Amino acid sequence: MDLAKKIRVVADFPKKGIMYQDITTLLKDGEAFRQVVDLFYEKFKDYGIDYVVAIESRGYLFGAPLAYKLGCGLVIVRKPGKLPAAVERIEYDLEYGKDVLEVHKDAVEPGKKVLVIDDLLATGGTAAAACDLMLRIGGKTIAAAFLIELSELNGRPKFNPDIEVFSLLKI
């Protein structure tokens, strides 16, 4: 199945000049959604992953079923103020401004292997920040995975060279 054909492209959303990659059309197709999760599983099943770390919010869509299939834990990374216990936070640069991510300080035990997952790799700021956040709490990010990579935005160089960056689709 050609997964790229399952993604709707919406021009000028959320603002003029953006070609938005709408994954809702892929998600509603049970076979396509299953294929995405299965492809991630096949890629990472032998990596010894202890935790899948999913980035709010669309990373959760792939992170939860993948963690289930891998038989490992799921850790969620959120925007500020949404986690109830003590958090570690990281501020990172966006194309225009800054943003913040948080995770519970006790989400990952020291030295545990993590896979960071999100739906889209664009400039790399958010996912690279999530990898740095894992390092701060003691985890070892061994890979970052994405459904879609927007190659022209050159997000890969934001990652530590020790982290494998994997995308199912490159646009």
Side-chain angles (χ1 to χ4, degrees):
M1 172 183 314
D2 186 351
L3 293 173
K5 290 182 179 178
K6 296 293 181 177
I7 297 169
R8 174 175 39 210
V9 178
V10 181
D12 299 322
F13 183 83
K15 61 183 181 182
K16 190 165 178 58
I18 302 288
M19 298 300 289
Y20 185 80
Q21 304 296 312
D22 179 11
I23 66 170
T24 62
T25 48
L26 179 143
L27 294 170
K28 75 177 188 176
D29 182 320
E31 184 181 334
F33 183 42
R34 183 180 320 110
Q35 184 177 353
V36 167
V37 175
D38 288 347
L39 287 168
F40 281 135
Y41 172 76
E42 286 302 316
K43 170 67 178 170
F44 295 107
K45 68 182 179 184
D46 297 323
Y47 280 54
I49 304 291
D50 296 302
Y51 295 100
V52 172
V53 176
I55 299 172
E56 185 174 343
S57 65
R58 290 180 301 233
Y60 300 169
L61 301 170
F62 305 107
L66 181 58
Y68 173 81
K69 281 194 77 146
L70 290 171
C72 67
L74 176 69
V75 171
I76 58 172
V77 173
R78 302 220 52 195
K79 300 291 183 182
K82 295 183 177 180
L83 294 171
V87 298
E88 183 69 39
R89 61 186 282 134
I90 190 166
E91 184 175 292
Y92 62 100
D93 293 323
L94 295 171
E95 191 173 353
Y96 301 104
K98 295 190 177 293
D99 209 345
V100 175
L101 291 175
E102 294 182 342
V103 69
H104 282 133
K105 286 186 176 189
D106 62 356
V108 173
E109 297 83 17
K112 295 294 184 177
K113 292 183 191 176
V114 303
L115 166 66
V116 170
I117 194 164
D118 206 358
D119 67 321
L120 182 77
L121 173 59
T123 62
T126 302
C131 294
D132 291 345
L133 197 53
M134 290 302 103
L135 187 61
R136 286 187 184 184
I137 64 170
K140 177 170 176 39
T141 303
I142 60 170
F146 307 91
L147 171 61
I148 302 168
E149 178 177 349
L150 301 178
S151 301
E152 68 184 27
L153 296 180
N154 204 28
R156 283 179 180 256
K158 289 254 175 63
F159 293 87
N160 180 311
D162 295 335
I163 298 171
E164 179 182 351
V165 178
F166 174 75
S167 303
L168 288 176
L169 302 171
K170 291 184 182 176
I171 298 172

